[in-house]
Amino acid sequence: DVKVTQSSRYLVKRTGEKVFLECVQDMDHENMFWYRQDPGLGLRLIYFSYDVKMKEKGDIPEGYSVSREKKERFSLILESASTNQTSMYLCASSIIGLAPDFGPGTRLTVT
Amino acid sequence: ELKVEQNPLFLSMQEGKNYTIYCNYSTTSDRLYWYRQDPGKSLESLFVLLSNGAVKQEGRLMASLDTKARLSTLHITAAVHDLSATYFCAVLDDKIIFGKGTRLHILP
């Protein structure tokens, strides 16, 4: 089975801090995704990547950036955290066309 | 822009009853995924539907896909309490977009 791991389950940061969320998958998947999940809004796609050093904007990329220097690792960066970025962040990976496998999530609180 | 709409968003039902969750989408995709999420947990893949007319079943859950109608259904047969969860559909276009989820509460 694919294992998708995320660096933290819970994270508390202050407004204005630079925040790094790390995601690693161990099955050589080409595709990786970052979503955020908020009550009543479902999952919203922030960024995705189809290959190393490639990235595509999702539906809500503002305030975020990503990095994919190695195939197994996809990082989400909040350049200057704000309180409206308090959320559950979910990383996923997949083979092209198949259902993504999700990591356990990082619950980020920005105070 | 791809839109994925689920209904209902919340469903409370008695054990033993049947019900259907609907997933409508706005693109011509022929790939649709269903997921389950338990409270405090991540998403678990249930079904992958890859073509028009695809039907998948596992236990009391059955999913189908009609690409011409741009509609997928998740049917629950003789519901049991253990099926209480939030169910999401997701559609592959040039990216994977999720519906808002259907929170299913099954009363014992």
Side-chain angles (χ1 to χ4, degrees), chain B:
Chain B
E1 180 185 338
L2 170 59
K3 293 190 184 299
V4 181
E5 294 186 353
Q6 285 183 239
N7 69 86
L9 296 182
F10 181 79
L11 177 58
S12 181
M13 55 192 292
Q14 296 284 341
E15 275 191 325
K17 299 291 187 182
N18 304 332
Y19 210 79
T20 300
I21 299 170
Y22 298 89
C23 176
N24 291 274
Y25 56 96
S26 62
T27 185
T28 56
S29 175
D30 61 356
R31 287 176 188 255
L32 189 138
Y33 315 117
W34 282 97
Y35 286 85
R36 169 180 173 147
Q37 185 179 39
D38 293 299
K41 301 288 183 64
S42 189
L43 277 74
E44 172 190 358
S45 178
L46 291 175
F47 300 111
V48 178
L49 302 170
L50 299 178
S51 61
N52 186 42
V55 178
K56 295 277 184 76
Q57 181 165 6
E58 178 150 349
R60 301 174 187 272
L61 299 178
M62 183 174 71
S64 65
L65 178 62
D66 181 344
T67 58
K68 294 180 181 177
R70 301 182 185 180
L71 171 68
S72 180
T73 60
L74 180 66
H75 187 73
I76 302 146
T77 301
V80 293
H81 181 66
D82 286 352
L83 290 178
S84 296
T86 299
Y87 294 86
F88 291 93
C89 65
V91 177
L92 171 64
D93 194 16
D94 60 334
K95 51 191 176 183
I96 298 175
I97 301 299
F98 281 76
K100 291 186 177 180
T102 296
R103 186 175 169 195
L104 179 61
H105 182 53
I106 299 171
L107 303 169

